[in-house]
Amino acid sequence: MFSIRRGFAIAATVVALAIPTAITSVAPASGATLIASDEFTGAAGSAPSSSWWNYETGGGGWGNNEWQTYTNSRSNSYLDGNGRLVIAARSSGTSITSARLNTLGKISFTYGTVSARIKLPAGQGLLPAFWLMGTDIYRNGWPACGEIDVIETPSITTRYTNTIHGPTTSGGHWQLGNSGAISDLSSDFHTYSVTKARNRITISLDNRVVGTYTSSQLSAGQRWVFNQPTYLLLSLAVGGNWPGAPDLTTPNPSYMTLDWIRVYSA
């Protein structure tokens, strides 16, 4: 029997991903201008655009006792030839591999909106995420750089979660978040957006606001650090303290699929 301590269960069937229905993109705010986009065009099996994406690689738990090792291999991140980027988490024997991509040094913005159309994977122990961090991360560290989690679905894709994290004046960490029930986000593509304005962050799911955060919500000693450039991250983690271990029901491979990602000016 396949041990859950050694990896995912092997999926009994393989289901082809449906090509998403074409939609018309609308700028998120009056006067907003599209300043960057990745439509993930390219040959099947090719790498995502090097003008956008860096790879974060390695294991070690990533601060959460996670099981995966992130790689830059085409088995874990690739274009599907139909205008989509696929991030795949795979188990083979004692090894679990996945991908974590970022745009640090390539794409960033201070105020404006970034939107991504994503189909999320469902499965116990999976943590797909679309998120942002401050470009000063290697100068000031975390949480001083700030973190904005636009969408995370730990194990369960019938709830959305969004969170922001920041520092305190004493060197600690604070967070604010929202979570709620929703129709299964793994059954189709959905659009996840974050709009940054001065002292305000708004997070939306399919154009419905699901999180609003302002500097006025902070308590004494909590610092608002989001009026600065942020870069983008995509990741598919497996196991760890949050959301917990995968089990024999967890699909292997598991796929996080992106149709596009777009950045608009304020």
Side-chain angles (χ1 to χ4, degrees):
M1 181 177 290
F2 198 81
S3 168
I4 64 171
R5 293 188 177 274
R6 297 183 61 190
F8 308 136
I10 300 297
T13 58
V14 176
V15 180
L17 294 173
I19 297 176
T21 302
I23 65 168
T24 300
S25 173
V26 179
S30 177
T33 301
L34 181 68
I35 58 175
S37 69
D38 194 347
E39 307 297 321
F40 304 119
T41 56
S46 61
S49 171
S50 60
S51 65
W52 267 72
W53 302 105
N54 309 302
Y55 304 95
E56 297 185 38
T57 60
W62 293 87
N64 185 41
N65 293 316
E66 294 164 9
W67 294 17
Q68 82 286 337
T69 296
Y70 289 127
T71 82
N72 59 6
S73 168
R74 297 291 66 75
S75 65
N76 296 120
S77 59
Y78 57 91
L79 303 182
D80 73 350
N82 291 309
R84 294 168 292 186
L85 168 66
V86 180
I87 297 177
R90 302 176 183 275
S91 173
S92 177
T94 60
S95 174
I96 299 173
T97 58
S98 187
R100 173 164 155 161
L101 309 179
N102 75 54
T103 67
L104 183 61
K106 297 178 178 179
I107 303 291
S108 65
F109 74 107
T110 301
Y111 300 129
T113 298
V114 58
S115 298
R117 191 166 187 254
I118 308 172
K119 185 174 183 181
L120 298 169
Q124 172 58 39
L126 298 179
L127 182 58
F130 166 38
W131 47 308
L132 294 77
M133 286 204 290
T135 57
D136 61 341
I137 183 170
Y138 290 113
R139 183 171 69 254
N140 294 324
W142 185 96
C145 66
E147 176 180 332
I148 304 170
D149 302 317
V150 183
I151 182 65
E152 294 179 294
T153 51
S155 295
I156 299 170
T157 50
T158 52
R159 291 191 69 83
Y160 66 85
T161 298
N162 56 74
T163 315
I164 67 171
H165 304 259
T168 67
T169 54
S170 61
H173 158 245
W174 61 264
Q175 68 181 55
L176 296 171
N178 281 288
S179 182
I182 199 164
S183 58
D184 190 353
L185 297 173
S186 70
S187 64
D188 203 349
F189 287 81
H190 296 272
T191 301
Y192 305 92
S193 303
V194 56
T195 297
K196 291 180 62 198
R198 184 168 181 81
N199 296 329
R200 185 180 187 90
I201 293 168
T202 305
I203 295 175
S204 301
L205 198 170
D206 291 335
N207 296 317
R208 178 168 66 93
V209 173
V210 291
T212 301
Y213 307 100
T214 66
S215 59
S216 63
Q217 294 173 269
L218 301 188
S219 302
Q222 296 178 337
R223 295 172 51 215
W224 182 270
V225 293
F226 302 103
N227 297 331
Q228 64 170 339
T230 50
Y231 67 99
L232 319 179
L233 298 99
L234 303 168
S235 57
L236 177 51
V238 181
N241 302 333
W242 192 67
D247 63 21
L248 295 175
T249 68
T250 308
N252 179 31
S254 291
Y255 301 106
M256 176 179 175
T257 309
L258 286 92
D259 188 20
W260 46 255
I261 189 164
R262 298 167 182 165
V263 182
Y264 297 86
S265 68

